[in-house]
Amino acid sequence: MKLSVSGRTAATGAVAIGVSAVMLLTGGSIAGAAPAPVAAAPDIPVANVKAHLAQLQSIATANGGNRAHGRAGYKASLDYVKAKLDAAGFTTTVQQFTSSGRTGYNLVADWPGGDTNQVVMAGSHLDSVTAGAGINDNGSGSAAILETALAVSRAGYQPTKHLRFAWWGAEELGMVGSRYYVNNLSTANRSKISGYLNFDMIGSPNPGYFVYDDDPAIEKTFKDYFTGLGISTEPETEGDGRSDHAPFENAGVPVGGLFSGADYVKTAAQAAKWGGTSGQAFDRCYHSSCDTSANINDTALDRNSDAVAHAVWELSS
Ligand code: TRP
Ligand code: CA
Ligand code: ZN
């Protein structure tokens, strides 16, 4: 009897009634059932993720071509994401800091409920470099975690642990926003973070499938997802210290994440298993003006967005 997916989705009456009907038909008994299995994460609609990217592109275009720290395009990006989260029932906080003489902002969104002594965080930097719109770096991660957060709300997901999403400012200046956040957590609050998941570049146009090889349990959660799709991954080792997971890792928080590649060149062996073009960078537009909404591989964005949701559900259950 296949009841597993209904385990914790009983927030929706329709699902609960369905379960009861199946129980009656099969003579099953809810009282005698095993502990409720983890609810499956929903499929994240890649069209929704792309719609967020189109908005971020429009914001850049309207603000001098970028969404960089201290520029109007950054704040407009933050306002866009915050409005979506507020409307979906998140508790949002804007954290202000100063870097290079300009004001920067982190956006933190808490999903009400869950055990606040066990916090699962997912984060992405929302700033671009000044050279371009930063749609793969890092509109892609920002849009994927935004759509995952909205999916949490749509599902009425009530995880055991507490869920928190974050959009970091000034990553491109050296992970300034995320470091500011970690440095300003009390020791007690830092120790309540059971895991931090980082998503920085997950829609690269000539994509690879890299999984951070940090915390083994988090890494396994991502790898299992890709195994289920029949896609082999490689451990992400290049990025240690190169994105917003670094301040968390340095503070002793278990970290993990996904990466589809930046300026490194795809090898023949990688092209053989992942497709795309060998001898060419994973993202030829990395940190340049051509990192626009055309600089996205939809398949990679779709798979990685679904993997984000899978990990968020699984690790917070
Ligand atoms: N924002 C990162 C940077 O500019 C992008 C990046 C490059 C990255 N290599 C990485 C992110 C490896 C994660 C892992 O450096
Ligand atoms: Ca999907
Ligand atoms: Zn980045």
PDB file of all heavy atoms in Angstrom, residues 286-304:
ATOM      1  N   TYR A 286      30.576  34.083 -17.387  1.00  0.00           N
ATOM      2  CA  TYR A 286      30.833  34.293 -15.949  1.00  0.00           C
ATOM      3  C   TYR A 286      31.408  35.688 -15.701  1.00  0.00           C
ATOM      4  O   TYR A 286      32.413  36.065 -16.314  1.00  0.00           O
ATOM      5  CB  TYR A 286      31.804  33.213 -15.474  1.00  0.00           C
ATOM      6  CG  TYR A 286      32.274  33.348 -14.042  1.00  0.00           C
ATOM      7  CD1 TYR A 286      31.373  33.318 -12.984  1.00  0.00           C
ATOM      8  CD2 TYR A 286      33.622  33.494 -13.754  1.00  0.00           C
ATOM      9  CE1 TYR A 286      31.810  33.413 -11.675  1.00  0.00           C
ATOM     10  CE2 TYR A 286      34.077  33.588 -12.449  1.00  0.00           C
ATOM     11  CZ  TYR A 286      33.157  33.551 -11.408  1.00  0.00           C
ATOM     12  OH  TYR A 286      33.598  33.651 -10.118  1.00  0.00           O
ATOM     13  N   HIS A 287      30.738  36.451 -14.854  1.00  0.00           N
ATOM     14  CA  HIS A 287      31.174  37.800 -14.461  1.00  0.00           C
ATOM     15  C   HIS A 287      31.304  38.755 -15.642  1.00  0.00           C
ATOM     16  O   HIS A 287      32.099  39.705 -15.592  1.00  0.00           O
ATOM     17  CB  HIS A 287      32.494  37.743 -13.658  1.00  0.00           C
ATOM     18  CG  HIS A 287      32.276  37.277 -12.248  1.00  0.00           C
ATOM     19  ND1 HIS A 287      33.270  37.274 -11.289  1.00  0.00           N
ATOM     20  CD2 HIS A 287      31.163  36.824 -11.630  1.00  0.00           C
ATOM     21  CE1 HIS A 287      32.774  36.818 -10.141  1.00  0.00           C
ATOM     22  NE2 HIS A 287      31.510  36.538 -10.334  1.00  0.00           N
ATOM     23  N   SER A 288      30.537  38.525 -16.707  1.00  0.00           N
ATOM     24  CA  SER A 288      30.606  39.463 -17.836  1.00  0.00           C
ATOM     25  C   SER A 288      29.219  39.925 -18.266  1.00  0.00           C
ATOM     26  O   SER A 288      28.199  39.474 -17.736  1.00  0.00           O
ATOM     27  CB  SER A 288      31.392  38.853 -18.994  1.00  0.00           C
ATOM     28  OG  SER A 288      30.670  37.793 -19.546  1.00  0.00           O
ATOM     29  N   SER A 289      29.201  40.822 -19.229  1.00  0.00           N
ATOM     30  CA  SER A 289      27.950  41.479 -19.620  1.00  0.00           C
ATOM     31  C   SER A 289      26.975  40.518 -20.280  1.00  0.00           C
ATOM     32  O   SER A 289      25.785  40.803 -20.360  1.00  0.00           O
ATOM     33  CB  SER A 289      28.245  42.651 -20.555  1.00  0.00           C
ATOM     34  OG  SER A 289      28.862  42.166 -21.732  1.00  0.00           O
ATOM     35  N   CYS A 290      27.458  39.381 -20.776  1.00  0.00           N
ATOM     36  CA  CYS A 290      26.524  38.437 -21.422  1.00  0.00           C
ATOM     37  C   CYS A 290      25.864  37.478 -20.436  1.00  0.00           C
ATOM     38  O   CYS A 290      25.164  36.548 -20.861  1.00  0.00           O
ATOM     39  CB  CYS A 290      27.198  37.693 -22.572  1.00  0.00           C
ATOM     40  SG  CYS A 290      28.649  36.727 -22.116  1.00  0.00           S
ATOM     41  N   ASP A 291      26.033  37.692 -19.126  1.00  0.00           N
ATOM     42  CA  ASP A 291      25.299  36.868 -18.159  1.00  0.00           C
ATOM     43  C   ASP A 291      23.874  37.407 -18.020  1.00  0.00           C
ATOM     44  O   ASP A 291      23.494  38.016 -17.019  1.00  0.00           O
ATOM     45  CB  ASP A 291      26.022  36.815 -16.808  1.00  0.00           C
ATOM     46  CG  ASP A 291      25.374  35.815 -15.840  1.00  0.00           C
ATOM     47  OD1 ASP A 291      24.466  35.061 -16.276  1.00  0.00           O
ATOM     48  OD2 ASP A 291      25.770  35.790 -14.659  1.00  0.00           O
ATOM     49  N   THR A 292      23.117  37.180 -19.101  1.00  0.00           N
ATOM     50  CA  THR A 292      21.736  37.669 -19.209  1.00  0.00           C
ATOM     51  C   THR A 292      20.780  36.485 -19.087  1.00  0.00           C
ATOM     52  O   THR A 292      21.210  35.347 -18.878  1.00  0.00           O
ATOM     53  CB  THR A 292      21.509  38.313 -20.586  1.00  0.00           C
ATOM     54  OG1 THR A 292      21.663  37.272 -21.581  1.00  0.00           O
ATOM     55  CG2 THR A 292      22.520  39.421 -20.861  1.00  0.00           C
ATOM     56  N   SER A 293      19.489  36.741 -19.303  1.00  0.00           N
ATOM     57  CA  SER A 293      18.528  35.634 -19.229  1.00  0.00           C
ATOM     58  C   SER A 293      18.738  34.634 -20.365  1.00  0.00           C
ATOM     59  O   SER A 293      18.189  33.522 -20.304  1.00  0.00           O
ATOM     60  CB  SER A 293      17.094  36.152 -19.175  1.00  0.00           C
ATOM     61  OG  SER A 293      16.919  37.205 -20.065  1.00  0.00           O
ATOM     62  N   ALA A 294      19.545  34.969 -21.361  1.00  0.00           N
ATOM     63  CA  ALA A 294      19.887  33.980 -22.400  1.00  0.00           C
ATOM     64  C   ALA A 294      20.982  33.026 -21.925  1.00  0.00           C
ATOM     65  O   ALA A 294      21.232  31.999 -22.565  1.00  0.00           O
ATOM     66  CB  ALA A 294      20.351  34.694 -23.666  1.00  0.00           C
ATOM     67  N   ASN A 295      21.613  33.350 -20.813  1.00  0.00           N
ATOM     68  CA  ASN A 295      22.775  32.585 -20.336  1.00  0.00           C
ATOM     69  C   ASN A 295      22.378  31.478 -19.352  1.00  0.00           C
ATOM     70  O   ASN A 295      23.013  31.293 -18.313  1.00  0.00           O
ATOM     71  CB  ASN A 295      23.768  33.542 -19.675  1.00  0.00           C
ATOM     72  CG  ASN A 295      25.115  32.898 -19.387  1.00  0.00           C
ATOM     73  OD1 ASN A 295      25.640  32.174 -20.224  1.00  0.00           O
ATOM     74  ND2 ASN A 295      25.668  33.175 -18.210  1.00  0.00           N
ATOM     75  N   ILE A 296      21.310  30.769 -19.680  1.00  0.00           N
ATOM     76  CA  ILE A 296      20.773  29.745 -18.770  1.00  0.00           C
ATOM     77  C   ILE A 296      20.475  28.472 -19.545  1.00  0.00           C
ATOM     78  O   ILE A 296      19.894  28.529 -20.638  1.00  0.00           O
ATOM     79  CB  ILE A 296      19.456  30.256 -18.111  1.00  0.00           C
ATOM     80  CG1 ILE A 296      19.735  31.388 -17.101  1.00  0.00           C
ATOM     81  CG2 ILE A 296      18.687  29.121 -17.436  1.00  0.00           C
ATOM     82  CD1 ILE A 296      20.412  30.982 -15.808  1.00  0.00           C
ATOM     83  N   ASN A 297      20.872  27.348 -19.001  1.00  0.00           N
ATOM     84  CA  ASN A 297      20.451  26.060 -19.526  1.00  0.00           C
ATOM     85  C   ASN A 297      19.214  25.623 -18.740  1.00  0.00           C
ATOM     86  O   ASN A 297      19.296  25.357 -17.533  1.00  0.00           O
ATOM     87  CB  ASN A 297      21.571  25.027 -19.398  1.00  0.00           C
ATOM     88  CG  ASN A 297      21.140  23.660 -19.920  1.00  0.00           C
ATOM     89  OD1 ASN A 297      20.370  22.959 -19.293  1.00  0.00           O
ATOM     90  ND2 ASN A 297      21.627  23.302 -21.091  1.00  0.00           N
ATOM     91  N   ASP A 298      18.078  25.547 -19.416  1.00  0.00           N
ATOM     92  CA  ASP A 298      16.805  25.296 -18.733  1.00  0.00           C
ATOM     93  C   ASP A 298      16.762  23.931 -18.054  1.00  0.00           C
ATOM     94  O   ASP A 298      16.153  23.776 -16.990  1.00  0.00           O
ATOM     95  CB  ASP A 298      15.640  25.388 -19.725  1.00  0.00           C
ATOM     96  CG  ASP A 298      15.392  26.812 -20.191  1.00  0.00           C
ATOM     97  OD1 ASP A 298      16.120  27.730 -19.768  1.00  0.00           O
ATOM     98  OD2 ASP A 298      14.445  27.014 -20.992  1.00  0.00           O
ATOM     99  N   THR A 299      17.397  22.953 -18.683  1.00  0.00           N
ATOM    100  CA  THR A 299      17.389  21.604 -18.100  1.00  0.00           C
ATOM    101  C   THR A 299      18.153  21.585 -16.788  1.00  0.00           C
ATOM    102  O   THR A 299      17.694  21.019 -15.786  1.00  0.00           O
ATOM    103  CB  THR A 299      18.001  20.593 -19.089  1.00  0.00           C
ATOM    104  OG1 THR A 299      17.236  20.642 -20.295  1.00  0.00           O
ATOM    105  CG2 THR A 299      17.971  19.184 -18.537  1.00  0.00           C
ATOM    106  N   ALA A 300      19.317  22.214 -16.773  1.00  0.00           N
ATOM    107  CA  ALA A 300      20.107  22.267 -15.542  1.00  0.00           C
ATOM    108  C   ALA A 300      19.348  23.058 -14.466  1.00  0.00           C
ATOM    109  O   ALA A 300      19.312  22.654 -13.292  1.00  0.00           O
ATOM    110  CB  ALA A 300      21.467  22.912 -15.805  1.00  0.00           C
ATOM    111  N   LEU A 301      18.744  24.162 -14.866  1.00  0.00           N
ATOM    112  CA  LEU A 301      17.993  24.977 -13.907  1.00  0.00           C
ATOM    113  C   LEU A 301      16.835  24.180 -13.314  1.00  0.00           C
ATOM    114  O   LEU A 301      16.574  24.252 -12.104  1.00  0.00           O
ATOM    115  CB  LEU A 301      17.477  26.248 -14.603  1.00  0.00           C
ATOM    116  CG  LEU A 301      16.771  27.254 -13.700  1.00  0.00           C
ATOM    117  CD1 LEU A 301      17.759  27.925 -12.744  1.00  0.00           C
ATOM    118  CD2 LEU A 301      16.056  28.321 -14.539  1.00  0.00           C
ATOM    119  N   ASP A 302      16.163  23.410 -14.155  1.00  0.00           N
ATOM    120  CA  ASP A 302      15.025  22.609 -13.719  1.00  0.00           C
ATOM    121  C   ASP A 302      15.479  21.517 -12.749  1.00  0.00           C
ATOM    122  O   ASP A 302      14.948  21.383 -11.638  1.00  0.00           O
ATOM    123  CB  ASP A 302      14.351  21.994 -14.952  1.00  0.00           C
ATOM    124  CG  ASP A 302      13.015  21.345 -14.634  1.00  0.00           C
ATOM    125  OD1 ASP A 302      12.536  21.453 -13.492  1.00  0.00           O
ATOM    126  OD2 ASP A 302      12.447  20.711 -15.554  1.00  0.00           O
ATOM    127  N   ARG A 303      16.481  20.740 -13.152  1.00  0.00           N
ATOM    128  CA  ARG A 303      16.956  19.653 -12.287  1.00  0.00           C
ATOM    129  C   ARG A 303      17.474  20.187 -10.958  1.00  0.00           C
ATOM    130  O   ARG A 303      17.175  19.623  -9.890  1.00  0.00           O
ATOM    131  CB  ARG A 303      18.089  18.900 -12.985  1.00  0.00           C
ATOM    132  CG  ARG A 303      17.624  18.083 -14.174  1.00  0.00           C
ATOM    133  CD  ARG A 303      18.818  17.593 -14.969  1.00  0.00           C
ATOM    134  NE  ARG A 303      18.409  16.690 -16.035  1.00  0.00           N
ATOM    135  CZ  ARG A 303      19.223  16.281 -17.018  1.00  0.00           C
ATOM    136  NH1 ARG A 303      20.483  16.728 -17.073  1.00  0.00           N
ATOM    137  NH2 ARG A 303      18.789  15.450 -17.943  1.00  0.00           N
ATOM    138  N   ASN A 304      18.257  21.254 -11.019  1.00  0.00           N
ATOM    139  CA  ASN A 304      18.831  21.777  -9.775  1.00  0.00           C
ATOM    140  C   ASN A 304      17.766  22.394  -8.881  1.00  0.00           C
ATOM    141  O   ASN A 304      17.837  22.264  -7.652  1.00  0.00           O
ATOM    142  CB  ASN A 304      19.939  22.787 -10.085  1.00  0.00           C
ATOM    143  CG  ASN A 304      21.230  22.101 -10.522  1.00  0.00           C
ATOM    144  OD1 ASN A 304      21.581  21.038 -10.013  1.00  0.00           O
ATOM    145  ND2 ASN A 304      21.942  22.701 -11.458  1.00  0.00           N
TER     146      ASN A 304
END
